[in-house]
Amino acid sequence: MSPIRSICCLGAGYVGGPTCCIMAQQCPDITVTVVDKSVERIAAWNSSNLPIYEPGLQEVVEECRGKNLHFSTDIEQAIKQADLVFICVNTPTKTFGLGKGKAADLKYVELAARMIADTVEEGQGRKIVVEKSTVPVKAAESISNILRHNIKPGVTFQVLSNPEFLAEGTAIEDLLKPDRVLIGGEETEEGKEAISALGEVYRHWVPQERIITMNTWSSELSKLAANAFLAQRISSINSMSAVCEATGADVSEVAEAIGRDTRIGPKFLQASVGFGGSCFQKDILNLVYISECLNLPEVAEYWSQVVSFNNFQRFRFSQRIVECLFNTITDKKICLFGFAFKKNTGRVAKGDTRESAAIYIAKHLLDEGARLSIYDPKVTQQQMMMELTQPNISPESPDRIHNLVTCHSDPYSAAEGAHAVVVCTEWDEFVALDYARIYNTMTKPAFLFDGRKILDHENLIKIGFHVETIGKRLHRKNIERSWN
């Protein structure tokens, strides 16, 4: 079987863009073309202002673009020229119909498969199609069915599963030094040849022992299982944070103690206001739906509790803000530091706010009548307002949100006159702010709620702040004593 010389990626988003940039950098003998229907997105990839923010990505693009890395809207030409086609399209949770709120919507995957079948011309030989989007088990089988029933003379297709395991903010590092690369395919001679061909691409920079091959279904399920397990760890330590706050224990000390156990390990044991992003909740709900369809209600209920507790953690933190501010925040100004779901993520046009905890904290505070001022170093005002005016967040008219929410370009103006500052995202710059300056401009008593456990709490208390954080009691509750 001849080696891969040309790769096409359908979708220039968070998965396809960075993945193919690294492939181009590490495989100078392979031509990589990333295509997308969005003229605006492709124009951004071809500019100095990339549509995605990831540390190190800009340098990789500048090194390879125009050499063996290309960004284009000519989808048909890219498919025709490619030996291998990655499907990296969006797979959102369905918002209507069967599986609403849980199942993955595969319409874009199906459209991509049909486009490939329609575009490949007679006599083009073997084409390897690789699903990289997060999909439910047996999605590759659906892609194969579409391709098989629309095949042309002189063309053969092999469909592989090659899930991504990228964490936003560290995507380039994750791609360069992956823990593992999964490649799933058919257990036929042709399937094994296709797996080997894709494996050869990765072997340009990934050690052989980290490239794991398996059947397609195992590969697809492994992606959902990995995200479910990671989210489960976050909800587990967050459940401990509630116990710590009630008892006087410190969740960071508890996390260190259990993380020293080599069977458990220290990663994903940082208590916070909850997980966000495009993957964890979506993939768990997908797993819940699959379990329900397989008549495994106990399995579905088990995993749904991970999402339920994440929602509870956000609400619990919001309620704590209200309680500390004398049980009323009506018409009080509260400043949010951070709106992205985690640091080092985002796009030039809009930061990555998908399922951000800040959205739900803002919703709870707005429901209590607060006025919000928000600062985030990457998220634009347009993106913040778009999230806060979604029907599930703000059922009332958008005008109400525009009246109650102001967005700021610097943290000091955002905090001026505020009753409380709430840290929702762990941006590094928040650690280095002049909190004495912030304190002097705030309404007193000045409260600071550290939802990410990144600040020096003792120093903040010395400045004069009333400080609250996750999983630790910084101020002892009044204890009633009886005097004889």
Side-chain angles (χ1 to χ4, degrees):
M1 175 177 279
S2 57
I4 303 297
R5 291 292 175 225
S6 179
I7 291 175
C8 165
C9 175
L10 302 181
Y14 276 93
V15 176
T19 298
C20 287
C21 289
I22 292 299
M23 279 193 171
Q25 182 195 51
Q26 300 298 317
C27 308
D29 56 326
I30 298 176
T31 299
V32 180
T33 305
V34 182
V35 295
D36 200 288
K37 288 184 176 180
S38 171
V39 175
E40 180 185 5
R41 180 176 293 178
I42 292 299
W45 278 110
N46 283 315
S47 73
S48 59
N49 294 317
L50 302 184
I52 292 170
Y53 174 75
E54 279 289 337
L57 178 60
Q58 184 83 37
E59 292 79 3
V60 175
V61 172
E62 291 175 356
E63 176 186 341
C64 303
R65 188 173 56 199
K67 297 175 183 177
N68 68 323
L69 175 63
H70 308 280
F71 300 95
S72 174
T73 55
D74 191 346
I75 300 174
E76 292 186 3
Q77 184 66 17
I79 292 174
K80 288 175 183 177
Q81 294 178 346
D83 302 316
L84 182 148
V85 180
F86 281 112
I87 296 178
C88 298
V89 296
N90 193 19
T91 53
T93 302
K94 290 185 70 174
T95 57
F96 59 88
L98 189 64
K100 174 183 177 181
K102 296 177 184 176
D105 189 342
L106 299 182
K107 65 180 178 182
Y108 299 116
V109 173
E110 180 179 341
L111 287 171
R114 293 190 183 278
M115 178 175 287
I116 294 169
D118 292 342
T119 302
V120 174
E121 296 175 334
E122 292 185 15
Q124 284 208 297
R126 181 202 68 179
K127 292 280 186 180
I128 299 175
V129 178
V130 183
E131 57 163 15
K132 208 159 183 66
S133 303
T134 302
V135 292
V137 181
K138 296 194 175 184
E141 186 177 298
S142 300
I143 296 171
S144 296
N145 283 334
I146 292 170
L147 296 174
R148 187 170 63 250
H149 285 91
N150 293 277
I151 202 164
K152 296 171 184 174
V155 177
T156 62
F157 290 107
Q158 278 296 318
V159 179
L160 304 179
S161 168
N162 175 221
E164 54 85 16
F165 295 97
L166 307 181
E168 290 193 42
T170 59
I172 299 303
E173 186 71 14
D174 296 338
L175 287 163
L176 288 171
K177 299 177 182 178
D179 293 331
R180 76 292 201 197
V181 172
L182 300 189
I183 305 175
E186 294 179 7
E187 296 173 318
T188 61
E189 199 60 41
E190 295 81 1
K192 291 176 181 177
E193 287 180 354
I195 290 172
S196 178
L198 178 57
E200 193 58 43
V201 174
Y202 281 109
R203 277 189 284 274
H204 279 75
W205 78 97
V206 179
Q208 175 63 47
E209 63 270 17
R210 294 195 179 187
I211 300 175
I212 307 171
T213 63
M214 57 188 65
N215 71 48
T216 312
W217 299 345
S218 295
S219 177
E220 291 173 331
L221 183 58
S222 294
K223 166 64 176 177
L224 298 181
N227 277 345
F229 273 61
L230 292 173
Q232 178 196 48
R233 283 175 69 94
I234 296 172
S235 283
S236 294
I237 196 65
N238 280 342
S239 71
M240 289 296 103
S241 74
V243 178
C244 288
E245 290 164 24
T247 60
D250 184 336
V251 73
S252 295
E253 294 174 348
V254 173
E256 182 179 3
I258 62 178
R260 291 289 185 96
D261 188 325
T262 55
R263 297 169 299 175
I264 298 172
K267 293 184 178 180
F268 278 75
L269 291 180
Q270 176 67 38
S272 69
V273 287
F275 59 77
S278 63
C279 291
F280 283 177
Q281 178 165 304
K282 181 185 77 169
D283 289 356
I284 293 173
L285 292 175
N286 196 350
L287 186 59
V288 169
Y289 180 69
I290 291 170
S291 301
E292 290 173 344
C293 291
L294 295 173
N295 196 28
L296 297 169
E298 292 82 5
V299 176
E301 176 62 21
Y302 176 83
W303 287 112
S304 67
Q305 285 301 311
V306 174
V307 175
S308 296
F309 191 87
N310 195 53
N311 294 333
F312 169 71
Q313 182 77 346
R314 295 163 174 169
F315 180 74
R316 192 173 72 84
F317 186 68
S318 304
Q319 282 297 102
R320 196 160 157 204
I321 295 171
V322 177
E323 289 170 3
C324 286
L325 269 65
F326 315 109
N327 285 310
T328 179
I329 57 173
T330 302
D331 208 35
K332 289 180 179 177
K333 178 179 178 179
I334 298 178
C335 171
L336 302 190
F337 279 177
F339 203 79
F341 84 89
K342 65 184 285 192
K343 71 174 183 177
N344 293 337
T345 65
R347 314 179 194 183
V348 172
K350 52 182 181 178
D352 194 351
T353 57
R354 291 176 290 182
E355 291 300 322
S356 173
I359 298 170
Y360 297 92
I361 291 169
K363 169 183 165 50
H364 295 146
L365 298 178
L366 289 168
D367 287 346
E368 291 284 343
R371 293 181 294 109
L372 302 184
S373 62
I374 308 174
Y375 167 73
D376 188 287
K378 289 290 179 183
V379 183
T380 64
Q381 177 175 340
Q382 179 186 8
Q383 179 67 5
M384 293 180 194
M385 290 301 181
M386 188 197 78
E387 293 286 8
L388 294 175
T389 53
Q390 293 292 321
N392 63 316
I393 300 299
S394 183
E396 295 89 353
S397 75
D399 291 340
R400 173 178 174 269
I401 299 301
H402 289 287
N403 291 333
L404 291 175
V405 177
T406 57
C407 304
H408 295 257
S409 58
D410 82 274
Y412 299 104
S413 65
E416 188 174 342
H419 289 257
V421 169
V422 183
V423 178
C424 296
T425 311
E426 69 281 19
W427 289 106
D428 292 338
E429 73 172 69
F430 294 158
V431 179
L433 293 176
D434 184 348
Y435 282 95
R437 174 183 169 187
I438 290 173
Y439 176 81
N440 288 334
T441 66
M442 291 176 64
T443 300
K444 308 300 185 298
F447 291 81
L448 194 148
F449 299 86
D450 184 2
R452 294 293 177 179
K453 296 176 63 64
I454 60 172
L455 303 181
D456 182 343
H457 301 142
E458 294 304 319
N459 184 57
L460 291 170
I461 292 170
K462 289 178 182 177
I463 290 172
F465 283 103
H466 178 110
V467 181
E468 297 285 336
T469 190
I470 299 286
K472 184 178 181 180
R473 190 190 298 171
L474 294 172
H475 291 274
R476 293 187 63 189
K477 293 181 179 179
N478 291 330
I479 302 174
E480 292 186 9
R481 299 181 183 274
S482 58
W483 301 92
N484 294 326

